[in-house]
Amino acid sequence: MIEEINNCVKVLQEGGLIVYPTDTVWGIGCDATNREAVQKVYALKKRESSKPLICLVANQAMLERHVKEVPDVAYDIMDFATKPTTIIFDQPLGVAKNLVAEDNTLGIRVASDKFCQYLINKFRKPIVSTSANISGQPHPKQFNDIQPEILKGVDYVVNLQNENFNPSPSSIIKLSNDGQVKVIRE
């Protein structure tokens, strides 16, 4: 696993794209602070740039560095969630502008997967996480479900088995600084 992490970090530092196993489905990742890398993800997925991507952080401390204000309820959601949960926060900080939605929000998930945590900790920055598929196509539940076009369009494909035997996209909850909570996807 260490060799895979080192290979990913090198590609991410160079502004490249990776395909990697996450705590949900197989994902396409890049440096969440690199505007050009984020644009490459949109192009590869054939996704409108108005449809926001999410990013992963390694822990709550990294989350706090990339959101102006983390509402207290976010910690409860992270502690009590029974499946990976992405939270949409107001006023993200220190990420590529084309990753931020028009309403100045960003979906961020604290990774629960060991590989992702180690990778992000070593990289020391958030990474984009979006399903490894062309926009509108089914999410790849297993590595073999990833379309060849996606695999050819990235700079590195992680050579590890995903230990997640029942993969599904994360829950998504929007938390506004004014206290509003909205479930986007269960």
Side-chain angles (χ1 to χ4, degrees):
M1 179 161 44
I2 292 170
E3 183 180 346
E4 292 297 321
I5 288 170
N6 290 338
N7 292 341
C8 287
V9 167
K10 184 176 187 306
V11 168
L12 293 171
Q13 288 170 336
E14 294 169 354
L17 307 186
I18 62 171
V19 164
Y20 66 113
T22 73
D23 49 358
T24 57
V25 296
W26 277 84
I28 300 170
C30 73
D31 177 351
T33 68
N34 182 324
R35 182 178 182 82
E36 291 79 25
V38 170
Q39 190 54 47
K40 288 183 204 173
V41 173
Y42 278 114
L44 178 60
K45 284 184 66 80
K46 299 178 182 170
R47 184 179 175 124
E48 295 172 35
S49 57
S50 61
K51 290 186 172 182
L53 301 170
I54 69 162
C55 69
L56 297 179
V57 294
N59 49 47
Q60 291 179 357
M62 185 179 278
L63 169 67
E64 291 163 358
R65 288 194 299 273
H66 291 283
V67 176
K68 185 171 183 184
E69 178 186 339
V70 178
D72 288 338
V73 69
Y75 297 104
D76 293 335
I77 291 169
M78 289 182 276
D79 290 343
F80 296 113
T82 56
K83 70 180 260 189
T85 301
T86 300
I87 300 175
I88 300 173
F89 293 97
D90 288 339
Q91 299 175 297
L93 304 169
V95 295
K97 295 284 182 239
N98 56 341
L99 194 57
V100 179
E102 288 180 11
D103 63 353
N104 197 26
T105 61
L106 176 62
I108 303 175
R109 184 167 74 250
V110 176
S112 58
D113 173 84
K114 290 280 182 248
F115 174 79
C116 290
Q117 288 174 339
Y118 291 147
L119 171 60
I120 299 163
N121 272 324
K122 177 130 187 168
F123 186 53
R124 305 184 77 170
K125 292 190 258 185
I127 61 174
V128 165
S129 179
T130 182
S131 56
N133 63 318
I134 302 295
S135 199
Q137 298 292 316
H139 299 285
K141 292 193 180 283
Q142 304 301 329
F143 179 81
N144 293 338
D145 297 336
I146 301 172
Q147 297 151 309
E149 182 178 351
I150 295 291
L151 296 173
K152 289 176 189 156
V154 299
D155 301 287
Y156 189 73
V157 177
V158 172
N159 186 19
L160 288 176
Q161 292 297 313
N162 188 346
E163 295 175 7
N164 186 352
F165 295 107
N166 190 18
S168 62
S170 68
S171 298
I172 300 177
I173 297 173
K174 184 170 185 173
L175 294 183
S176 299
N177 286 345
D178 64 6
Q180 289 186 14
V181 177
K182 182 178 180 186
V183 175
I184 307 293
R185 180 171 69 202
E186 283 190 43

